[in-house]
């Protein structure tokens, strides 16, 4: 709620990447419950050292603590920290998400099929027909992904903001990383079950395999990317949304 020159925010958000280490955060908060769900949301830039934050890191199956559950209890945010107009945060959020999807898709430089092919050669497995087929599939996907990246970089260099094409890139990257993880474990064989820096096969490929499912969810799940591609790239009819015009306060939800 608004209080003079400040907004006072209480609530909870799970899966906030980097929350435990960040100085600034993006906060989307409902400021008008009488609007339907995509309206009445305001986009705040929030100082993470503000009083009222309680941050609980969450451990993933990789062992890392990439994201946190964040609780806000009366956090005060200057009104000047609103990005865009009050109640119109969803439009800014779409731009943020498009950028995030491009970053997720382009930010996996260490997951290089070339390194796996080299490992297959060293282990005398590069002529294995089944493994070879899986690695070639990954190699082709990595090349296509590179060209998607070039196209996005060219658009950005001309000042064109990223749009739904980053959903294509993110979906493509998620599939690539899934297949790469599978191929790497097939190559390592039983050694893949030993996960430690001093294990015979180390742990890098196993870590990538374990992290791949997160890429299918972060920044919007694969299914949601497919919907965006269908509706905003291919121009197919929108999926039915019975709650699209209902005020947020009237939506059925837990505890109501
Ligand atoms: C590594 C990682 C980092 C993250 N970082 C952040 C972060 O920094 N900030 C943040 O706010 N969130 C973050 N998230 C959360 C992430 O954005 C959400 O988990 C994701 O968007 C899915 O939303 P959800 O969890 O509410 O699942 P839901 O939307 O409830 O989805 C559940 C299932 O239903 C399917 N589904 C949902 N809607 C549809 C539909 N319309 N059509 C077909 N299928 C559908 C989904 O594909 C999924 O399988 C992160 C998640 C991960 C894994």
């Amino acid at each position: 709620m608004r209080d003079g020159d400040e907004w006072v925010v209480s609530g909870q958000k799970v899966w906030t990447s980097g929350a435990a280490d960040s100085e600034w955060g993006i906060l989307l908060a409902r400021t008008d419950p009488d609007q339907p769900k995509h309206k009445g949301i305001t986009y705040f830039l929030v100082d993470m050292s503000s009083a009222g934050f309680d941050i609980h890191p969450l451990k993933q199956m990789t062992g890392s603590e990439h994201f946190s559950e964040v609780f806000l209890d009366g956090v005060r945010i200057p009104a000047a920290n609103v990005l865009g107009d009050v109640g119109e945060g969803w439009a800014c959020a779409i731009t943020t998400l498009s950028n995030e999807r491009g970053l997720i898709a382009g930010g996996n430089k260490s997951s290089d099929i070339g390194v796996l092919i080299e490992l297959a050669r060293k282990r005398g497995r590069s002529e294995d027909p089944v493994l070879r087929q899986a690695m070639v599939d990954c190699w082709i996907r990595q090349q296509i992904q590179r060209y998607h990246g070039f196209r996005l970089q060219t658009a950005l260099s001309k000042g064109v903001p990223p749009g739904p094409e980053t959903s294509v890139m993110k979906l493509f990257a998620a599939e690539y990383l899934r297949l790469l993880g599978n191929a790497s474990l097939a190559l390592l064989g039983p050694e893949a079950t030993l996960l430690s820096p001093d294990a015979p096969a180390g742990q890098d490929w196993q870590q990538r395999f374990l992290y791949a499912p997160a890429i299918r969810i972060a920044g919007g799940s694969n299914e949601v990317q497919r919907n965006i591609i269908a509706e905003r790239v291919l121009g197919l009819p929108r999926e039915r949304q019975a709650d699209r015009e209902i005020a947020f306060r009237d939506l059925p939800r837990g505890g109501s």
Side-chain angles (χ1 to χ4, degrees):
M1 66 170 70
R2 182 86 187 237
D3 181 21
D5 286 344
E6 294 178 319
W7 288 85
V8 185
V9 182
S10 294
Q12 172 260 356
K13 178 72 184 83
V14 72
W15 318 129
T16 308
S17 297
D21 308 306
S22 299
E23 293 176 9
W24 287 89
I26 292 169
L27 171 67
L28 292 165
R30 173 146 308 274
T31 46
D32 186 351
D34 292 322
Q35 295 288 334
K37 58 183 187 175
H38 290 105
K39 297 179 187 147
I41 295 171
T42 301
Y43 190 123
F44 295 96
L45 302 174
V46 57
D47 180 346
M48 296 295 287
S49 64
S50 308
F53 268 113
D54 190 11
I55 299 171
H56 296 250
L58 298 168
K59 190 165 278 210
Q60 291 169 258
M61 65 177 164
T62 55
S64 70
E65 293 177 348
H66 170 86
F67 45 41
S68 297
E69 184 162 22
V70 178
F71 297 85
L72 298 90
D73 184 9
V75 172
R76 302 189 82 86
I77 308 172
N81 286 23
V82 171
L83 189 73
D85 293 330
V86 170
E88 298 296 332
W90 186 241
C92 298
I94 289 177
T95 304
T96 303
L97 284 166
S98 295
N99 276 284
E100 182 188 8
R101 288 166 189 153
L103 173 78
I104 292 172
N108 286 294
K109 297 282 179 287
S110 61
S111 297
D112 182 0
I113 182 63
V115 178
L116 192 69
I117 292 171
E118 205 42 54
L119 187 62
R121 285 201 183 103
K122 272 196 201 134
R123 291 177 160 240
R125 297 279 312 279
S126 58
E127 300 302 320
D128 176 322
V130 176
L131 188 58
R132 207 177 157 87
Q133 194 171 348
M135 291 192 300
V136 168
D137 185 24
C138 287
W139 187 87
I140 293 169
R141 286 169 181 274
Q142 192 180 43
Q143 301 312 309
I144 295 171
Q145 187 73 352
R146 271 182 69 221
Y147 290 116
H148 279 309
F150 290 151
R151 193 196 294 160
L152 178 65
Q153 282 173 358
T154 305
L156 290 175
S157 71
K158 292 179 178 167
V160 179
E165 69 276 12
T166 57
S167 291
V168 179
M169 291 178 65
K170 220 276 286 184
L171 180 59
F172 210 85
E175 273 303 283
Y176 167 70
L177 293 170
R178 181 178 72 81
L179 294 166
L180 183 71
N182 291 351
S184 67
L185 261 59
L187 170 58
L188 297 179
E191 286 179 25
T193 58
L194 300 173
L195 181 68
S196 135
D198 54 2
Q203 61 175 2
D204 290 356
W205 288 106
Q206 297 94 316
Q207 286 286 354
R208 285 186 194 114
F209 173 83
L210 290 174
Y211 199 68
I215 302 295
R216 300 203 282 279
I217 301 170
S221 68
N222 279 8
E223 289 75 20
V224 166
Q225 304 316 310
R226 288 193 173 98
N227 279 346
I228 294 170
I229 294 164
E231 293 171 12
R232 293 180 54 204
V233 179
L234 302 176
L236 295 174
R238 285 190 85 91
E239 72 167 338
R240 278 179 61 83
Q241 276 184 306
D243 55 1
R244 197 167 181 82
E245 300 304 328
I246 299 176
F248 181 79
R249 69 162 76 250
D250 296 330
L251 291 177
R253 50 188 185 276
S256 64

